[in-house]
């Protein structure tokens, strides 16, 4: 009896080791299709907090002093079309921060951050890209989009980024617009389903005061060239920056205090869009050059972003640079090798 029991235990132990080995192999195969940075971005670096928790001192997306409590919903990053077909864009005037990124065909798309204030309606809502990982992850954001290609869905899930697509609460089609530019979203309705699921993010940019910005070169007009097909134009007027080719109505436009141009590398997302265009991927990590426009002046320097999940840091020859608190439009302009260009004038 003792010998037979010993054999049974040895067989059971061997089976357990085999199951464990197979489990490790399966996990390795599952992660093999994800980039190293996608897997790094999936590591949690903050914990959920209940709605109403106090922020330390500053609003994370504007750097302005906090009064009251945090919202009881996460940062909602809404993907909004940025072509003439999107006219009129809605909801931009309520945004905390906007990032513009390159998509296929040389066009751009907006990642619009809503946190402190929620617009009744935002849109037209379009699809996500792998580029959004580096944009959204530092804010612990939830993406609001129309959908995404299967490779992008896989990348976002691997990075542990929550997202909503058409069919979720708040989405609707506007009968006065033509598809696919007629998908809109009632942001408060969607946010109401996410109560008590908020994560208080760290500061999205290295925030500072007006006194932190001085000695810049005069620059009251800006041309951010993403491709031969698209240039975003800005002019400094009345203490703010105005987008001369915005597709929003004047009262619905996002009018920032600063424009941060980040020169980025551009890779290949690995698939084609329905029209056969290669889908680009903005590499929003590593290091590169930046230009910060504020008060009609510009300061140049070097940006560093250790991974897709970490906030960007800025420095000049004089040392670390802080962004004056306020609303910022971030332009992720391809570097010179990738065909992008930035010009400005007095």
């Amino acid at each position: 009896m003792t010998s037979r029991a010993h054999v049974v235990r040895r067989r059971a132990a061997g089976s357990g080791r085999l199951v464990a080995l197979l489990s490790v192999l399966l996990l390795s195969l599952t992660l093999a299709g994800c980039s190293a940075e996608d897997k790094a971005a999936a590591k949690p670096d903050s914990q959920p907090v209940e709605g109403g928790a106090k922020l330390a001192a500053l609003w994370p997306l504007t750097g302005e002093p906090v009064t009251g409590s945090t919202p009881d919903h996460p940062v909602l990053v809404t993907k909004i079309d940025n072509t003439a077909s999107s006219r009129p864009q809605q909801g931009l005037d309520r945004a905390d921060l906007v990032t513009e990124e390159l998509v296929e065909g040389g066009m751009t798309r907006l990642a619009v951050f809503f946190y402190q204030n929620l617009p009744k309606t935002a849109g037209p809502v379009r699809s996500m890209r792998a580029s959004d990982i580096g944009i959204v992850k530092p804010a612990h954001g939830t993406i609001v989009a129309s959908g995404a290609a299967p490779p992008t869905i896989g990348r976002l899930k691997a990075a542990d980024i929550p997202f909503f697509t058409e069919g979720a609460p708040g989405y609707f089609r506007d009968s006065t617009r033509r598809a696919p530019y007629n998908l809109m979203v009632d942001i408060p309705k969607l946010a109401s389903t996410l109560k008590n699921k908020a994560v208080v993010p760290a500061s999205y940019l290295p925030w500072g005061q007006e006194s932190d910005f001085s000695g810049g070169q005069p620059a009251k007009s800006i041309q951010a060239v993403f491709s031969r097909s698209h240039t975003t134009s800005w002019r400094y007027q009345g203490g703010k920056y105005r987008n001369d080719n915005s597709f929003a109505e004047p009262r619905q436009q996002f009018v920032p205090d600063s424009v941060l141009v980040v020169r980025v590398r551009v890779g290949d997302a690995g698939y084609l869009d329905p029209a056969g265009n290669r889908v680009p991927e903005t590499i929003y990590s590593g290091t590169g050059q930046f230009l910060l426009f504020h008060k009609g002046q510009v300061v140049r320097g070097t940006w560093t972003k250790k991974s897709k999940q970490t906030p960007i840091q800025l420095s000049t020859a004089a040392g670390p640079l802080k962004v004056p608190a306020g609303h910022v439009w971030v332009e992720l302009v391809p570097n010179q090798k990738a065909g992008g260009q930035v010009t400005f004038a007095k």
Side-chain angles (χ1 to χ4, degrees):
M1 290 294 292
T2 302
S3 177
R4 179 174 297 177
H6 179 68
V7 170
V8 169
R9 284 196 298 270
R10 288 185 60 186
R11 288 178 177 175
S15 297
R17 287 193 294 270
L18 179 59
V19 169
L21 180 61
L22 289 174
S23 298
V24 171
L25 179 60
L26 180 59
L27 179 60
S28 300
L29 291 173
T30 300
L31 294 177
C34 305
S35 72
E37 278 205 302
D38 290 349
K39 288 180 277 187
K43 296 179 181 178
D45 54 30
S46 182
Q47 295 298 318
V49 298
E50 294 183 0
K54 293 286 186 181
L55 280 173
L58 305 175
W59 286 108
L61 300 177
T62 64
E64 296 171 333
V66 171
T67 57
S69 303
T70 63
D72 56 3
H73 58 77
V75 175
L76 296 172
V77 184
T78 305
K79 298 305 300 294
I80 293 183
D81 189 83
N82 196 43
T83 67
S85 298
S86 69
R87 189 179 285 116
Q89 295 165 329
Q90 289 186 250
L92 297 187
D93 60 313
R94 304 288 287 174
D96 295 85
L97 179 144
V98 176
T99 295
E100 183 173 10
E101 62 188 282
L102 182 71
V103 292
E104 58 276 12
M107 297 292 102
T108 65
R109 189 153 295 171
L110 306 181
V112 184
F113 289 65
F114 297 116
Y115 191 48
Q116 290 177 243
N117 302 294
L118 302 181
K120 173 61 179 173
T121 302
V125 180
R126 299 301 304 278
S127 56
M128 303 173 282
R129 297 291 183 276
S131 303
D132 295 324
I133 297 172
I135 295 171
V136 173
K137 193 67 180 178
H140 301 286
T142 294
I143 301 180
V144 180
S146 61
T152 299
I153 294 289
R155 296 276 300 279
L156 291 169
K157 287 183 176 179
D160 196 28
I161 294 178
F163 56 84
F164 288 93
T165 58
E166 186 173 9
Y171 282 79
F172 66 95
R173 293 281 177 176
D174 184 342
S175 61
T176 66
R177 299 170 180 255
R178 64 182 181 87
Y181 309 100
N182 61 348
L183 183 62
M184 313 297 284
V185 63
D186 180 331
I187 295 288
K189 185 174 182 179
L190 177 60
S192 69
T193 69
L194 304 176
K195 287 185 176 182
N196 299 318
K197 294 183 180 180
V199 171
V200 179
S203 291
Y204 192 78
L205 295 174
W207 298 115
Q209 308 297 322
E210 286 293 330
S211 58
D212 293 314
F213 187 92
S214 61
Q217 181 180 355
K220 293 191 175 181
S221 68
I222 311 164
Q223 303 290 313
V225 182
F226 282 82
S227 68
R228 295 179 180 178
S229 306
H230 182 82
T231 297
T232 300
S233 301
W234 296 94
R235 58 187 167 86
Y236 182 70
Q237 182 181 50
K240 301 279 188 176
Y241 287 88
R242 310 279 172 173
N243 184 350
D244 285 333
N245 50 351
S246 172
F247 297 113
E249 297 294 338
R251 292 184 179 180
Q252 287 264 311
Q253 291 181 16
F254 183 79
V255 184
D257 300 286
S258 304
V259 175
L260 174 61
V261 177
V262 180
R263 305 303 303 275
V264 294
R265 293 177 294 124
V266 178
D268 189 334
Y271 65 96
L272 305 178
D273 73 357
N277 296 306
R278 284 278 175 190
V279 177
E281 179 179 350
T282 294
I283 311 301
Y284 197 23
S285 61
T287 188
Q289 301 303 305
F290 77 84
L291 299 93
L292 176 61
F293 296 87
H294 182 72
K295 296 194 301 187
Q297 299 178 321
V298 61
V299 169
R300 304 168 184 261
T302 301
W303 66 269
T304 302
K305 199 169 182 290
K306 293 181 179 180
S307 70
K308 291 179 181 177
Q309 69 177 355
T310 56
I312 192 172
Q313 299 298 319
L314 309 174
S315 64
T316 67
L321 178 69
K322 295 183 178 181
V323 179
H327 291 87
V328 179
W329 184 294
V330 181
E331 301 277 26
L332 298 182
V333 179
N335 59 24
Q336 187 172 2
K337 184 178 179 180
Q341 186 179 3
V342 182
T343 61
F344 56 87
K346 297 181 181 180

